[in-house]
């Protein structure tokens, strides 16, 4: 039994999945406010599934790239619940979660602002490149080389003209059911944030918010 969480992008979402069967799912679109919404939302999906927290076997949580604040909210919650229930928490990349529902050659791309995109390529669900933060020009060259059948994510429209034949899915959040499927299939390694670049916001003195 997997509880999946995503707070990295433009939604706060959770799902409960048992042996591939979706029991409950909730996706609340939002750009901020994940910290206040996550705990009540998790309680809602657990109630909808008709389960106590003790029925869970593991927790899947997105680890980025995405909102620095959002991904830390999800990670902190997942780690706390993991410790309380003595079950593993498993990290899932937001790019792989975006790509998971689509077969064939898929390019997941998120608008990273400042003329960059977060990019990762997949073929039939298997990653064929590492996640990276790239200038748009470099990303466009990757698109031309990979020739994806599907481009998914907020960065997809920025690259659409490079590959007019590709199906464009400009999703701004993952499906937590996809997060659950990926989390269920991998070894229970403790989740770590995937930032890809330093945050735009800085502490006094120019120090990064990322330790």
């Amino acid at each position: 039994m997997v509880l999946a969480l995503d707070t990295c992008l433009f939604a706060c979402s959770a799902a409960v999945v048992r042996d591939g069967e979706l029991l409950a799912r909730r996706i609340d679109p939002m750009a901020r406010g994940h910290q206040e919404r996550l705990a009540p939302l998790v309680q809602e999906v657990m109630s909808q599934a008709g389960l106590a927290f003790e029925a869970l076997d593991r927790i899947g949580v997105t680890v980025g790239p995405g909102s620095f604040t959002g991904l830390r909210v999800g990670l902190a919650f997942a780690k706390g619940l993991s410790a309380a229930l003595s079950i593993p928490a498993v990290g899932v990349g937001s790019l792989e979660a975006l790509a998971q529902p689509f077969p064939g050659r898929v390019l997941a791309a998120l608008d990273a602002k400042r003329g960059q995109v977060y990019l990762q390529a997949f073929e039939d669900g298997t990653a064929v490149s590492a996640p990276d933060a790239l200038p748009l020009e470099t990303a466009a060259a990757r698109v031309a080389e990979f020739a994806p059948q599907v481009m998914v994510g907020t960065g997809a429209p920025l690259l659409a003209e490079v590959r007019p034949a590709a199906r464009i899915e400009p999703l701004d959040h993952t499906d937590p059911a996809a997060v659950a499927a990926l989390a269920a299939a991998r070894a229970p390694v403790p989740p770590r944030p995937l930032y890809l670049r330093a945050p735009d916001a800085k502490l006094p003195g120019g120090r990064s918010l990322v330790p």
Side-chain angles (χ1 to χ4, degrees), residues 2-17 20-28 41 45 60-62 92-102 110 152-153 169-183:
V2 181
L3 170 67
L5 313 172
D6 178 29
T7 57
C8 279
L9 303 176
F10 290 92
C12 185
S13 63
V16 179
V17 175
E21 178 189 2
L22 179 63
L23 301 182
R25 173 173 52 196
R26 183 69 184 264
I27 301 172
D28 284 7
L41 184 143
V45 295
V61 60
T62 49
V92 173
S94 51
L95 293 168
E96 61 179 327
L98 282 168
Q100 193 270 348
F102 302 99
L110 290 169
V152 59
E169 295 283 351
L171 302 179
D172 65 359
H173 62 272
T174 71
D175 183 343
V179 177
L182 291 163

Side-chain angles (χ1 to χ4, degrees), residues 79-93:
K79 288 179 178 179
L81 191 58
S82 166
L85 297 174
S86 298
I87 60 174
V90 181
V92 173

Side-chain angles (χ1 to χ4, degrees), residues 2 4 24 38 40 47 50 53 86 89 114 121 123 133 145 166-167 170 172 177 201 208:
V2 181
L38 182 57
S47 296
F53 282 92
S86 298
R114 298 192 296 179
E123 189 151 8
E145 179 183 3
R167 171 183 168 189
D172 65 359
S208 172

Side-chain angles (χ1 to χ4, degrees), residues 13-159:
S13 63
V16 179
V17 175
R18 178 177 57 203
D19 297 328
E21 178 189 2
L22 179 63
L23 301 182
R25 173 173 52 196
R26 183 69 184 264
I27 301 172
D28 284 7
M30 61 179 64
R32 53 183 58 87
H34 298 81
Q35 184 168 0
E36 294 78 13
R37 183 67 186 113
L38 182 57
L41 184 143
V42 167
Q43 185 63 63
E44 289 166 18
V45 295
M46 292 299 293
S47 296
Q48 183 183 343
L51 296 171
F53 282 92
E54 290 73 17
L56 296 173
D57 299 312
R58 68 173 53 192
I59 302 161
V61 60
T62 49
V63 296
S67 160
F68 290 88
T69 301
L71 73 87
R72 287 188 165 202
V73 167
L75 277 172
F77 187 93
K79 288 179 178 179
L81 191 58
S82 166
L85 297 174
S86 298
I87 60 174
V90 181
V92 173
S94 51
L95 293 168
E96 61 179 327
L98 282 168
Q100 193 270 348
F102 302 99
R105 291 191 308 279
V106 181
L107 197 73
L110 290 169
D111 184 359
K113 308 302 182 184
R114 298 192 296 179
Q116 290 187 319
V117 291
Y118 300 127
L119 200 72
Q120 190 172 15
F122 301 84
E123 189 151 8
D124 292 324
T126 300
V128 295
S129 72
D132 206 352
L134 300 172
L136 279 171
E137 298 80 3
T138 306
R142 295 278 181 91
V143 171
E145 179 183 3
F146 183 57
Q149 296 160 301
V150 179
M151 292 197 290
V152 59
T154 55
L158 302 176
L159 301 165

